[in-house]
Amino acid sequence: MKKKFNNVDRLYKVFIYVALITLAISIIVPVAWVFMASIKENKEFYTNPWALPAGFYFQNFINAFEKASMGSYFFNSVISTALALVILLVVSLPASYVLARYKFKGKRILNTLFMAGLFINVNYIVVPIFLMLMGWDDALNISFFLDNIVVLAVVYAATAIPFTVYLLSSYFQTLPKAYEEAALIDGCGYFKTMIKVMIPMAKPSIVTVILFNFLAFWNEYIIALTLMSGSNRTLPVGLLALMQASRGKAEYGMMYAGLVIVMLPTLILYIMVQKKLTQGMTLGGLKD
């Protein structure tokens, strides 16, 4: 009986390893192929697109930045993503801390509203958001709320608040009350206790929130396409225009260079915060 159990356990482990290796290959191979294709000359795509690049053709990236305006799109994405993350953390950290650590009237209602926000897909309400902003422009007779990087960042942050508050409040609930009591004895007020003691202890969870929301904001397409109808396009919207133009002109190297420009910041950020991301995903489930 024990031998049979060991055989089943081995088969299960083999199945898990095969599944993980297959998943890793299905992710690594396309990413590596995009990176190799981004440094190829156009003529190399007509011979054997799966062959290794003959050299490092950096002109593809120069053309993507200059001809396709990927530089300005990249700058717009950096500004909108960074500003959205700052607004999100400034609003969500105090809100999640108060909801997790204090009792007050209306707490249940607020928790219910935040929970309800988790089930709202922002793609379904992007048209009402567009009509609302356009109505504000028409009412004030200005052209401010549409095609504005700051407004786009505010919309990004607002749509991510329910998920962020839910995740951070769950983490704050796991922290012992002894730290707050010690800080109050030392003369810290509620705000100073949150800033000096509790938020630094929640760094793993904050890093997790930053990474998840960075991925969402950086790769977001539908809201940016709807609200940024002018020249202030973000990188995903500009990438679509680049792909359409590159296919028409058969400039495949420039198209893949644009894909690398979009992917590279995400990969770099993930490599930098990988350990803290794992801590944030595991510590949140522990109770002291």
Side-chain angles (χ1 to χ4, degrees):
M1 185 69 180
K2 188 176 181 181
K3 186 176 181 181
K4 185 177 180 181
F5 177 78
N6 290 335
N7 291 334
V8 172
D9 189 48
R10 287 179 182 177
L11 288 174
Y12 178 73
K13 288 182 178 180
V14 170
F15 171 76
I16 293 296
Y17 284 128
V18 171
L20 291 175
I21 292 172
T22 303
L23 180 62
I25 292 174
S26 66
I27 295 173
I28 293 173
V29 170
V31 172
W33 192 84
V34 169
F35 274 89
M36 289 190 298
S38 67
I39 57 175
K40 286 183 177 181
E41 295 188 49
N42 282 331
K43 61 183 180 181
E44 296 182 60
F45 290 95
Y46 297 104
T47 54
N48 183 6
W50 294 100
L52 294 175
F56 192 90
Y57 191 66
F58 193 73
Q59 188 64 34
N60 290 330
F61 292 91
I62 297 175
N63 293 337
F65 272 97
E66 294 181 353
K67 293 183 180 180
S69 302
M70 294 298 285
S72 61
Y73 300 153
F74 185 88
F75 178 76
N76 291 338
S77 286
V78 169
I79 295 299
S80 61
T81 301
L83 187 58
L85 288 174
V86 171
I87 296 172
L88 179 64
L89 292 177
V90 168
V91 174
S92 298
L93 279 171
S96 58
Y97 175 69
V98 170
L99 288 173
R101 310 297 289 191
Y102 298 104
K103 295 181 180 180
F104 55 91
K105 290 183 179 180
K107 179 179 177 179
R108 284 188 176 182
I109 297 175
L110 287 176
N111 276 324
T112 302
L113 291 175
F114 281 121
M115 288 291 292
L118 294 173
F119 299 96
I120 298 176
N121 191 327
V122 67
N123 295 329
Y124 299 150
I125 61 173
V126 65
V127 173
I129 292 173
F130 171 78
L131 294 176
M132 178 183 69
L133 297 178
M134 186 174 64
W136 291 352
D137 278 346
D138 293 339
L140 299 174
N141 197 22
I142 58 175
S143 180
F144 175 78
F145 292 100
L146 292 177
D147 199 28
N148 189 317
I149 293 292
V150 176
V151 175
L152 179 66
V154 172
V155 173
Y156 280 169
T159 57
I161 284 177
F163 166 76
T164 305
V165 169
Y166 174 76
L167 190 63
L168 290 176
S169 61
S170 299
Y171 188 88
F172 277 125
Q173 289 174 358
T174 66
L175 300 179
K177 291 184 178 180
Y179 294 103
E180 290 171 305
E181 295 171 355
L184 291 173
I185 292 173
D186 290 340
C188 292
Y190 294 115
F191 182 76
K192 193 173 182 180
T193 300
M194 180 187 70
I195 297 296
K196 297 290 187 179
V197 179
M198 305 306 289
I199 288 181
M201 292 180 64
K203 275 185 179 180
S205 184
I206 295 173
V207 170
T208 304
V209 164
I210 290 174
L211 181 59
F212 283 167
N213 286 300
F214 174 85
L215 294 174
F217 299 158
W218 185 262
N219 297 316
E220 200 286 319
Y221 172 75
I222 294 178
I223 298 176
L225 179 65
T226 306
L227 302 185
M228 312 299 287
S229 56
S231 59
N232 292 328
R233 293 177 175 177
T234 56
L235 205 52
V237 180
L239 179 61
L240 178 64
L242 171 61
M243 292 175 67
Q244 292 173 346
S246 299
R247 287 175 181 175
K249 297 179 182 178
E251 295 179 344
Y252 299 109
M254 186 171 68
M255 179 180 68
Y256 287 110
L259 289 172
V260 171
I261 293 171
V262 175
M263 290 193 303
L264 200 57
T266 303
L267 294 175
I268 293 174
L269 180 63
Y270 179 77
I271 292 171
M272 291 173 59
V273 302
Q274 183 181 5
K275 290 184 178 179
K276 291 186 177 181
L277 174 65
T278 306
Q279 293 176 2
M281 295 177 67
T282 54
L283 292 178
L286 299 178
K287 277 281 185 180
D288 291 324

